[in-house]
């Protein structure tokens, strides 16, 4: 693999160009890492805020509204859940139910919860349920 780093001309925006013959897991992770350096626009009351993606614990859809959970705050998002999932990338975020995606870097532990489901405890102490349908992806991600 060859890596070329150049300085942009004054006034030019930083640009990342990736040329690959085959998309490998490492390339996908690198792309996700670059994307996750960004922020997600969220809303609290009447204010729009830029929340760093790394601060997101999970995203949940309830009654056709999307909520973004950080360590100690809950925000609204105008994105649909599938749009948030695409934007956040697949290396750090994992769908765990039809209405929830979770930041795997924020998972402290997982354990069976009965009926084929699992429960994940996040580093802030919050618990989320992984639906049966999504347990195989969780097991693959964590090597269980």
């Amino acid at each position: 693999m060859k890596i070329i780093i150049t300085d942009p001309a004054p006034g030019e925006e930083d640009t990342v160009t990736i040329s690959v013959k085959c998309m490998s897991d490492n390339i996908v992770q690198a792309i996700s890492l670059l994307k996750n350096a960004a922020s997600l626009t969220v809303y609290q009351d009447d204010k729009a805020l830029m929340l760093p993606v790394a601060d997101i614990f999970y995203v949940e859809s309830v009654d056709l509204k999307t909520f973004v959970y950080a360590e100690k705050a809950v925000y609204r998002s105008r994105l649909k859940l599938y749009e948030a999932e695409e934007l956040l990338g697949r290396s750090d975020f994992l769908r765990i139910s039809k209405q929830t995606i979770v930041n795997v870097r924020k998972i402290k532990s997982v354990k069976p919860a009965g009926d084929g489901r699992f429960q994940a405890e996040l580093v802030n102490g919050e618990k989320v349920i992984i639906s049966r349908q999504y347990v195989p992806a969780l097991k693959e991600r964590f090597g269980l």
Side-chain angles (χ1 to χ4, degrees):
M1 176 187 308
K2 180 167 68 169
I3 298 175
I4 300 169
I5 300 174
T6 61
D7 288 327
E12 282 187 354
E13 184 178 353
D14 290 343
T15 304
V16 176
T17 304
I18 300 174
S19 300
V20 296
K21 292 178 184 173
C22 177
M23 197 64 115
S24 68
D25 287 342
N26 288 339
I27 299 297
V28 170
Q29 278 185 314
I31 292 168
S32 181
L33 185 63
L34 289 168
K35 285 182 179 178
N36 287 343
S39 298
L40 184 68
T41 302
V42 294
Y43 300 87
Q44 188 174 49
D45 301 323
D46 292 333
K47 295 184 284 187
L49 308 165
M50 297 303 291
L51 180 66
V53 170
D55 292 348
I56 297 172
F57 277 63
Y58 65 99
V59 182
E60 182 177 44
S61 178
V62 178
D63 295 331
L64 302 175
K65 295 177 185 158
T66 303
F67 297 93
V68 178
Y69 294 79
E71 185 170 12
K72 295 181 181 177
V74 180
Y75 305 96
R76 284 281 318 270
S77 172
R78 292 185 178 162
L79 298 172
K80 296 195 180 326
L81 189 63
Y82 76 89
E83 293 171 328
E85 183 177 24
E86 288 174 4
L87 184 67
L88 294 171
R90 300 206 191 281
S91 72
D92 287 343
F93 287 83
L94 177 69
R95 184 174 285 266
I96 59 170
S97 70
K98 288 183 180 180
Q99 58 272 16
T100 309
I101 56 175
V102 69
N103 185 342
V104 295
R105 294 182 182 268
K106 303 295 185 186
I107 295 176
K108 179 179 178 182
S109 64
V110 295
K111 67 178 184 178
D115 292 335
R117 300 175 304 151
F118 272 62
Q119 176 180 291
E121 182 179 356
L122 306 180
V123 295
N124 66 350
E126 198 162 347
K127 295 178 173 114
V128 292
I129 296 293
I130 297 101
S131 299
R132 280 190 300 259
Q133 177 181 354
Y134 298 93
V135 167
L138 172 83
K139 286 182 174 183
E140 181 181 326
R141 178 69 64 93
F142 285 96
L144 300 175

